[in-house]
Amino acid sequence: MELHDVWFVLIAVLWTGYFFLEGFDFGVGILTQLLARDRPERRVLINTIGPVWDGNEVWLLTAGGATFAAFPEWYATLFSGFYLPLLVILVCLIVRGVAFEYRAKRPEENWQRNWETAIFWTSLVPAFLWGVAFGNIVRGVKIDRHFEYVGSLLDLLNPYALLGGLVTLTLFTFHGAVFTALKTVGDIRVRARKLALKVGLVTAVVALAFLLWTQADSGDGKSLVALIVAVAALVAALVANQAGREGWSFALSGVTIVAAVAMLFLSLFPNVMPSTLEGDWSLTVTNASSSPYTLKIMTWCAAVATPLVLLYQGWTYWVFRKRIGTQHIADAAH
């Protein structure tokens, strides 16, 4: 296996890790308006991800940085062609981070309610747009002979990509509902399980349609295996959720995300951005990659830094592993 192939796999792993972790993170943000009935319950939901949401975003920064260094042509075409949707995602992530930090800085009800509303929308919009973006990457876009995107914004809003947006939105919401059931106690835990069932059933329908469409367009035997694993894991997650086994349900919803993302990258390889204008104009792992020397240096750096990041993030989740409820919110206890 060549180094550019290795880095394609590593970038796929980084995006998978980001969607697994930020997926429940976005889902919990969406649930602050769909599940929580009052401010103490919204505070419970926010507190479940409070210690980890910023660490989860490290995976996005690393995935973007790795793409820039390992596949500069891919990075240039992607970020120039998808400029507006990626800018919207960036603004949402900035506002979302500010909302987490500023929400409790003042006691006024309007102040806190506005920031909580911001958390909801800045979780929902990126959850949808990431699916749209990856749908277009897998489907292919208008790339000319100079490897430049020559389409318009409307070209990105095609049925396949919009369906991909619905998949990530519903799947992340389901993932977040299961995580909420795993991390809370009391009535909110019970309601989270009930909501997870409803959202999970919707997710199963749209995800199956999207994955079958992907398989029909660009799939092979390996992607078919990933599709079967994703569907089976989602069904098993729903069964575990109904049985009150939140840990298993969360793990299986995570497997669903991992298998679904793996299927997309398996369908994409060896391309990194197919051209819908001419097959020879597609960006591939070969023509979009950096020099072998650059990839070699990057591989050594990743081998040293990655285990340290994983150990630190794993330790963070271990420290904040306990369940919480409204009785742990100071104002609600009086």
Side-chain angles (χ1 to χ4, degrees):
M1 181 180 287
E2 299 291 336
L3 277 180
H4 51 66
D5 297 330
V6 172
W7 273 97
F8 179 86
V9 173
L10 290 177
I11 289 172
V13 170
L14 290 171
W15 280 110
T16 302
Y18 173 67
F19 287 144
F20 178 92
L21 296 172
E22 192 85 307
F24 73 75
D25 196 317
F26 285 143
V28 171
I30 293 169
L31 293 178
T32 56
Q33 299 295 324
L34 300 183
L35 178 66
R37 292 175 173 172
D38 51 31
R39 176 144 297 112
E41 288 193 350
R42 281 192 288 275
R43 289 179 61 185
V44 167
L45 291 176
I46 292 171
N47 286 354
T48 63
I49 59 174
V52 298
W53 68 267
D54 49 354
N56 294 343
E57 292 186 356
V58 170
W59 289 77
L60 172 61
L61 299 175
T62 308
T67 304
F68 172 77
F71 299 100
E73 287 282 0
W74 184 13
Y75 182 93
T77 304
L78 175 64
F79 280 78
S80 59
F82 294 16
Y83 180 81
L84 185 56
L86 292 178
L87 177 62
V88 172
I89 291 174
L90 177 61
V91 171
C92 284
L93 294 180
I94 293 172
V95 174
R96 188 167 181 264
V98 173
F100 280 126
E101 298 297 331
Y102 276 36
R103 182 190 59 83
K105 296 299 184 182
R106 290 172 57 178
E108 292 87 349
E109 182 176 347
N110 286 342
W111 172 272
Q112 295 192 5
R113 183 174 61 249
N114 289 339
W115 285 119
E116 288 164 358
T117 302
I119 291 173
F120 168 75
W121 285 109
T122 55
S123 299
L124 185 149
V125 172
F128 176 75
L129 288 181
W130 279 127
V132 174
F134 270 82
N136 278 295
I137 291 173
V138 174
R139 171 182 174 270
V141 292
K142 294 180 178 179
I143 299 175
D144 65 12
R145 67 175 69 249
H146 303 294
F147 302 138
E148 295 180 358
Y149 177 71
V150 293
S152 65
L153 176 62
L154 291 179
D155 292 325
L156 301 179
L157 303 178
N158 56 80
Y160 176 79
L162 293 175
L163 181 60
L166 289 178
V167 171
T168 51
L169 177 59
T170 55
L171 182 55
F172 290 170
T173 305
F174 171 71
H175 198 40
V178 172
F179 178 79
T180 299
L182 176 65
K183 288 288 293 180
T184 57
V185 294
D187 181 58
I188 193 171
R189 175 187 177 189
V190 176
R191 285 187 282 114
R193 285 209 306 264
K194 292 180 179 178
L195 182 60
L197 174 62
K198 297 176 182 178
V199 176
L201 292 174
V202 175
T203 302
V205 174
V206 294
L208 182 61
F210 178 75
L211 294 180
L212 287 176
W213 192 342
T214 304
Q215 180 66 25
D217 273 358
S218 54
D220 56 16
K222 294 178 182 178
S223 63
L224 179 60
V225 172
L227 185 156
I228 294 171
V229 172
V231 173
L234 181 56
V235 172
L238 287 168
V239 173
N241 175 72
Q242 282 302 97
R245 303 296 297 271
E246 291 101 343
W248 279 104
S249 184
F250 178 71
L252 288 165
S253 68
V255 172
T256 303
I257 293 175
V258 171
V261 177
M263 182 191 175
L264 295 183
F265 277 94
L266 286 169
S267 301
L268 187 61
F269 185 82
N271 294 320
V272 293
M273 281 190 77
S275 172
T276 57
L277 299 179
E278 174 61 49
D280 292 339
W281 298 344
S282 297
L283 288 168
T284 68
V285 292
T286 304
N287 63 26
S289 69
S290 295
S291 67
Y293 181 75
T294 300
L295 296 178
K296 183 178 180 179
I297 296 298
M298 289 175 58
T299 303
W300 281 107
C301 293
V304 174
T306 302
L308 298 177
V309 173
L310 292 176
L311 285 172
Y312 172 75
Q313 195 160 26
W315 175 79
T316 303
Y317 278 92
W318 174 256
V319 169
F320 296 100
R321 66 188 181 279
K322 293 184 178 180
R323 296 176 183 266
I324 61 173
T326 53
Q327 66 269 30
H328 299 111
I329 304 299
D331 292 343
H334 295 289

